[in-house]
PDB file of all heavy atoms in Angstrom:
ATOM      1  N   ASN W 406      -7.114  23.550   2.558  1.00 90.00           N
ATOM      2  CA  ASN W 406      -5.733  23.483   2.076  1.00 90.00           C
ATOM      3  C   ASN W 406      -4.946  22.336   2.688  1.00 90.00           C
ATOM      4  O   ASN W 406      -3.842  22.027   2.254  1.00 90.00           O
ATOM      5  CB  ASN W 406      -5.003  24.811   2.338  1.00 90.00           C
ATOM      6  CG  ASN W 406      -4.802  25.081   3.815  1.00 90.00           C
ATOM      7  OD1 ASN W 406      -5.771  25.118   4.574  1.00 90.00           O
ATOM      8  ND2 ASN W 406      -3.564  25.288   4.226  1.00 90.00           N
ATOM      9  N   GLU W 407      -5.523  21.663   3.735  1.00 93.00           N
ATOM     10  CA  GLU W 407      -4.830  20.541   4.368  1.00 93.00           C
ATOM     11  C   GLU W 407      -5.412  19.182   3.980  1.00 93.00           C
ATOM     12  O   GLU W 407      -4.881  18.151   4.397  1.00 93.00           O
ATOM     13  CB  GLU W 407      -4.870  20.695   5.887  1.00 93.00           C
ATOM     14  CG  GLU W 407      -3.993  21.819   6.398  1.00 93.00           C
ATOM     15  CD  GLU W 407      -3.796  21.723   7.891  1.00 93.00           C
ATOM     16  OE1 GLU W 407      -4.795  21.544   8.626  1.00 93.00           O
ATOM     17  OE2 GLU W 407      -2.648  21.792   8.343  1.00 93.00           O
ATOM     18  N   ILE W 788      -1.722  23.949  16.570  1.00 95.00           N
ATOM     19  CA  ILE W 788      -2.332  25.259  16.351  1.00 95.00           C
ATOM     20  C   ILE W 788      -2.418  25.471  14.851  1.00 95.00           C
ATOM     21  O   ILE W 788      -1.438  25.263  14.123  1.00 95.00           O
ATOM     22  CB  ILE W 788      -1.507  26.379  17.015  1.00 95.00           C
ATOM     23  CG1 ILE W 788      -1.707  26.332  18.530  1.00 95.00           C
ATOM     24  CG2 ILE W 788      -1.893  27.743  16.465  1.00 95.00           C
ATOM     25  CD1 ILE W 788      -0.913  27.376  19.278  1.00 95.00           C
ATOM     26  N   TYR W 789      -3.607  25.847  14.399  1.00 95.00           N
ATOM     27  CA  TYR W 789      -3.810  26.159  12.983  1.00 95.00           C
ATOM     28  C   TYR W 789      -4.021  27.668  12.906  1.00 95.00           C
ATOM     29  O   TYR W 789      -5.011  28.203  13.408  1.00 95.00           O
ATOM     30  CB  TYR W 789      -5.025  25.405  12.444  1.00 95.00           C
ATOM     31  CG  TYR W 789      -5.261  25.603  10.959  1.00 95.00           C
ATOM     32  CD1 TYR W 789      -4.406  25.026  10.029  1.00 95.00           C
ATOM     33  CD2 TYR W 789      -6.341  26.351  10.509  1.00 95.00           C
ATOM     34  CE1 TYR W 789      -4.631  25.196   8.666  1.00 95.00           C
ATOM     35  CE2 TYR W 789      -6.574  26.517   9.151  1.00 95.00           C
ATOM     36  CZ  TYR W 789      -5.715  25.941   8.235  1.00 95.00           C
ATOM     37  OH  TYR W 789      -5.936  26.111   6.896  1.00 95.00           O
ATOM     38  N   VAL W 790      -3.071  28.379  12.292  1.00 94.00           N
ATOM     39  CA  VAL W 790      -3.046  29.838  12.358  1.00 94.00           C
ATOM     40  C   VAL W 790      -2.952  30.444  10.969  1.00 94.00           C
ATOM     41  O   VAL W 790      -2.322  29.880  10.071  1.00 94.00           O
ATOM     42  CB  VAL W 790      -1.865  30.314  13.250  1.00 94.00           C
ATOM     43  CG1 VAL W 790      -0.531  29.827  12.699  1.00 94.00           C
ATOM     44  CG2 VAL W 790      -1.851  31.831  13.390  1.00 94.00           C
ATOM     45  N   GLY W 791      -3.601  31.594  10.804  1.00 92.00           N
ATOM     46  CA  GLY W 791      -3.529  32.288   9.522  1.00 92.00           C
ATOM     47  C   GLY W 791      -4.386  33.526   9.515  1.00 92.00           C
ATOM     48  O   GLY W 791      -5.032  33.882  10.510  1.00 92.00           O
ATOM     49  N   ILE W 799     -10.274  31.166   8.911  1.00 91.00           N
ATOM     50  CA  ILE W 799      -8.840  31.176   8.615  1.00 91.00           C
ATOM     51  C   ILE W 799      -8.635  30.814   7.152  1.00 91.00           C
ATOM     52  O   ILE W 799      -9.172  29.819   6.660  1.00 91.00           O
ATOM     53  CB  ILE W 799      -8.082  30.203   9.524  1.00 91.00           C
ATOM     54  CG1 ILE W 799      -8.220  30.632  10.991  1.00 91.00           C
ATOM     55  CG2 ILE W 799      -6.607  30.119   9.132  1.00 91.00           C
ATOM     56  CD1 ILE W 799      -7.622  29.650  11.971  1.00 91.00           C
ATOM     57  N   VAL W 800      -7.842  31.613   6.456  1.00 87.00           N
ATOM     58  CA  VAL W 800      -7.585  31.401   5.030  1.00 87.00           C
ATOM     59  C   VAL W 800      -6.169  30.867   4.852  1.00 87.00           C
ATOM     60  O   VAL W 800      -5.205  31.503   5.274  1.00 87.00           O
ATOM     61  CB  VAL W 800      -7.755  32.714   4.235  1.00 87.00           C
ATOM     62  CG1 VAL W 800      -7.489  32.468   2.747  1.00 87.00           C
ATOM     63  CG2 VAL W 800      -9.146  33.280   4.432  1.00 87.00           C
ATOM     64  N   SER W 801      -6.050  29.701   4.238  1.00 83.00           N
ATOM     65  CA  SER W 801      -4.739  29.112   3.925  1.00 83.00           C
ATOM     66  C   SER W 801      -3.809  29.161   5.130  1.00 83.00           C
ATOM     67  O   SER W 801      -2.695  29.704   5.062  1.00 83.00           O
ATOM     68  CB  SER W 801      -4.101  29.830   2.730  1.00 83.00           C
ATOM     69  OG  SER W 801      -4.912  29.678   1.587  1.00 83.00           O
ATOM     70  N   GLY W 802      -4.273  28.595   6.224  1.00 90.00           N
ATOM     71  CA  GLY W 802      -3.469  28.635   7.433  1.00 90.00           C
ATOM     72  C   GLY W 802      -2.291  27.673   7.409  1.00 90.00           C
ATOM     73  O   GLY W 802      -2.124  26.873   6.500  1.00 90.00           O
ATOM     74  N   GLU W 803      -1.457  27.789   8.419  1.00 92.00           N
ATOM     75  CA  GLU W 803      -0.339  26.866   8.596  1.00 92.00           C
ATOM     76  C   GLU W 803      -0.451  26.190   9.956  1.00 92.00           C
ATOM     77  O   GLU W 803      -1.126  26.681  10.861  1.00 92.00           O
ATOM     78  CB  GLU W 803       0.997  27.603   8.477  1.00 92.00           C
ATOM     79  CG  GLU W 803       1.228  28.653   9.536  1.00 92.00           C
ATOM     80  CD  GLU W 803       2.615  29.270   9.441  1.00 92.00           C
ATOM     81  OE1 GLU W 803       3.563  28.501   9.204  1.00 92.00           O
ATOM     82  OE2 GLU W 803       2.739  30.484   9.622  1.00 92.00           O
ATOM     83  N   THR W 804       0.207  25.048  10.077  1.00 94.00           N
ATOM     84  CA  THR W 804       0.085  24.223  11.271  1.00 94.00           C
ATOM     85  C   THR W 804       1.346  24.310  12.125  1.00 94.00           C
ATOM     86  O   THR W 804       2.459  24.171  11.600  1.00 94.00           O
ATOM     87  CB  THR W 804      -0.176  22.755  10.889  1.00 94.00           C
ATOM     88  OG1 THR W 804      -1.376  22.682  10.130  1.00 94.00           O
ATOM     89  CG2 THR W 804      -0.314  21.888  12.126  1.00 94.00           C
ATOM     90  N   LEU W 805       1.173  24.532  13.407  1.00 95.00           N
ATOM     91  CA  LEU W 805       2.268  24.535  14.371  1.00 95.00           C
ATOM     92  C   LEU W 805       2.003  23.444  15.401  1.00 95.00           C
ATOM     93  O   LEU W 805       0.857  23.216  15.811  1.00 95.00           O
ATOM     94  CB  LEU W 805       2.363  25.893  15.081  1.00 95.00           C
ATOM     95  CG  LEU W 805       2.520  27.133  14.179  1.00 95.00           C
ATOM     96  CD1 LEU W 805       2.494  28.395  15.024  1.00 95.00           C
ATOM     97  CD2 LEU W 805       3.817  27.053  13.382  1.00 95.00           C
ATOM     98  N   GLN W 825       4.400  32.970  16.184  1.00 92.00           N
ATOM     99  CA  GLN W 825       5.073  34.187  15.734  1.00 92.00           C
ATOM    100  C   GLN W 825       4.141  34.988  14.839  1.00 92.00           C
ATOM    101  O   GLN W 825       3.487  34.452  13.951  1.00 92.00           O
ATOM    102  CB  GLN W 825       6.357  33.858  14.980  1.00 92.00           C
ATOM    103  CG  GLN W 825       7.173  35.099  14.622  1.00 92.00           C
ATOM    104  CD  GLN W 825       8.468  34.756  13.909  1.00 92.00           C
ATOM    105  OE1 GLN W 825       8.495  33.829  13.109  1.00 92.00           O
ATOM    106  NE2 GLN W 825       9.522  35.498  14.197  1.00 92.00           N
ATOM    107  N   ARG W 827       3.828  36.946  11.928  1.00 89.00           N
ATOM    108  CA  ARG W 827       4.655  37.138  10.726  1.00 89.00           C
ATOM    109  C   ARG W 827       4.142  38.241   9.813  1.00 89.00           C
ATOM    110  O   ARG W 827       4.894  38.752   8.994  1.00 89.00           O
ATOM    111  CB  ARG W 827       4.734  35.825   9.947  1.00 89.00           C
ATOM    112  CG  ARG W 827       5.410  34.708  10.722  1.00 89.00           C
ATOM    113  CD  ARG W 827       5.510  33.457   9.885  1.00 89.00           C
ATOM    114  NE  ARG W 827       6.172  32.381  10.605  1.00 89.00           N
ATOM    115  CZ  ARG W 827       6.323  31.158  10.132  1.00 89.00           C
ATOM    116  NH1 ARG W 827       5.864  30.856   8.930  1.00 89.00           N
ATOM    117  NH2 ARG W 827       6.937  30.227  10.848  1.00 89.00           N
ATOM    118  N   ARG W 828       2.864  38.560   9.916  1.00 89.00           N
ATOM    119  CA  ARG W 828       2.318  39.580   9.016  1.00 89.00           C
ATOM    120  C   ARG W 828       1.252  40.367   9.765  1.00 89.00           C
ATOM    121  O   ARG W 828       0.675  39.898  10.740  1.00 89.00           O
ATOM    122  CB  ARG W 828       1.740  38.942   7.762  1.00 89.00           C
ATOM    123  CG  ARG W 828       0.680  37.909   8.020  1.00 89.00           C
ATOM    124  CD  ARG W 828       0.215  37.248   6.741  1.00 89.00           C
ATOM    125  NE  ARG W 828       1.272  36.443   6.158  1.00 89.00           N
ATOM    126  CZ  ARG W 828       1.502  35.171   6.515  1.00 89.00           C
ATOM    127  NH1 ARG W 828       0.775  34.598   7.455  1.00 89.00           N
ATOM    128  NH2 ARG W 828       2.453  34.480   5.952  1.00 89.00           N
TER     129      ARG W 828
END
Side-chain angles (χ1 to χ4, degrees):
N406 67 303
E407 289 194 312
I788 286 179
Y789 184 71
V790 59
I799 297 174
V800 180
S801 298
E803 63 175 319
T804 301
L805 304 176
Q825 186 178 37
R827 297 182 179 176
R828 57 184 67 86

